[in-house]
Amino acid sequence: MTLPIMAFGQPILRKIAEPITKDYPELKELIADMYETMYASNGVGLAAPQIGKSIRLIVIDTNPLADDYPDGKDYKQVFINATITELSGDDWVFNEGCLSVPELREDVIRKSKVHIEYYDQDFNFHSEEFDGVRARVIQHEYDHLQGILFVDRVSSLKKMLIKRRLTEISKGMVSPKYKMIFPHQKKR
Ligand code: NI
């Protein structure tokens, strides 16, 4: 089942998401629905707050980026209760987008490497370092758990330039090919 995506301006996108336990209700179904939603909207990552659940759950599949970034090939992972323990490497500029902020892309500077601790969908613990495009997507999705959006990380000049567009997006003046819930809109 595809789920509607929370649009920029929704308060849940600004909350710190809560950890979950193994017995979180219908977790397997939720993960499957998040993947289905992400694929249907051509995303490479999706965080639970984006589908209206303020929990520390992320799904990633970087395969669609593999043509441009070979290290994106065959990388699909569920992250539960993730914590970034270290950012390292060089500053790297990448043109990011977000399913919650449709039709807007901006250059974002992030570190090239990330060390992250997380549980997978079977609640096995992992402590791993990633670089390149995997590290990029992980950092973008992790931000969602912290209430941060990629538009917060652009230059102050760019922030001024996109301010009006962001207000329009929050008012629903945008036409994504997937279902979204805008602020002040009732959930259907
Ligand atoms: Ni995003």
Side-chain angles (χ1 to χ4, degrees), residues 72-133:
K73 195 167 167 50
D74 298 329
Y75 186 64
K76 180 178 172 180
Q77 186 63 57
V78 174
F79 294 78
I80 294 170
N81 299 346
T83 308
I84 287 181
T85 54
E86 196 187 356
L87 295 170
S88 59
D90 300 325
D91 285 347
W92 182 34
V93 180
F94 190 96
N95 196 249
E96 293 190 21
C98 180
L99 295 176
S100 293
V101 192
E103 298 168 17
L104 187 75
R105 300 195 71 90
E106 291 296 342
D107 284 348
V108 178
I109 301 169
R110 297 185 193 270
K111 292 293 180 191
S112 60
K113 288 185 187 174
V114 60
H115 192 111
I116 189 166
E117 296 181 348
Y118 64 96
Y119 295 84
D120 62 25
Q121 64 270 40
D122 301 314
F123 268 81
N124 297 311
F125 180 74
H126 299 261
S127 178
E128 291 174 343
E129 188 172 81
F130 297 93
D131 62 8
V133 80

Side-chain angles (χ1 to χ4, degrees), residues 2-184:
T2 59
L3 308 165
I5 291 176
M6 297 291 154
F8 181 87
Q10 284 280 13
I12 196 165
L13 295 176
R14 294 312 194 174
K15 280 176 141 177
I16 307 263
E18 297 289 334
I20 57 170
T21 55
K22 249 182 208 166
D23 52 7
Y24 187 84
E26 295 175 51
L27 182 59
K28 288 274 181 289
E29 290 80 359
L30 176 60
I31 290 168
D33 287 349
M34 283 178 64
Y35 269 119
E36 195 180 331
T37 303
M38 186 187 81
Y39 291 134
S41 50
N42 294 314
V44 292
L46 186 67
Q50 293 182 274
I51 50 94
K53 292 191 187 294
S54 193
I55 58 172
R56 300 187 80 79
L57 170 61
I58 294 167
V59 301
I60 285 175
D61 186 340
T62 59
N63 258 299
L65 299 171
D67 283 350
D68 293 326
Y69 303 95
D71 59 333
K73 195 167 167 50
D74 298 329
Y75 186 64
K76 180 178 172 180
Q77 186 63 57
V78 174
F79 294 78
I80 294 170
N81 299 346
T83 308
I84 287 181
T85 54
E86 196 187 356
L87 295 170
S88 59
D90 300 325
D91 285 347
W92 182 34
V93 180
F94 190 96
N95 196 249
E96 293 190 21
C98 180
L99 295 176
S100 293
V101 192
E103 298 168 17
L104 187 75
R105 300 195 71 90
E106 291 296 342
D107 284 348
V108 178
I109 301 169
R110 297 185 193 270
K111 292 293 180 191
S112 60
K113 288 185 187 174
V114 60
H115 192 111
I116 189 166
E117 296 181 348
Y118 64 96
Y119 295 84
D120 62 25
Q121 64 270 40
D122 301 314
F123 268 81
N124 297 311
F125 180 74
H126 299 261
S127 178
E128 291 174 343
E129 188 172 81
F130 297 93
D131 62 8
V133 80
R134 298 180 186 192
R136 172 62 56 156
V137 176
I138 288 168
Q139 288 178 67
H140 175 112
E141 298 311 324
Y142 184 82
D143 268 356
H144 278 298
L145 306 181
Q146 306 299 97
I148 299 167
L149 298 171
F150 82 98
V151 291
D152 305 336
R153 295 194 180 276
V154 303
S155 69
S156 41
L157 174 65
K158 265 280 149 53
K159 271 186 195 138
M160 270 167 55
L161 294 173
I162 63 175
K163 196 167 181 240
R164 181 195 291 258
R165 186 64 195 132
L166 287 173
T167 304
E168 289 172 353
I169 291 170
S170 73
K171 289 178 176 167
M173 295 160 71
V174 70
S175 313
K177 291 191 177 75
Y178 46 90
K179 212 203 289 178
M180 297 195 83
I181 300 179
F182 297 94
H184 312 302

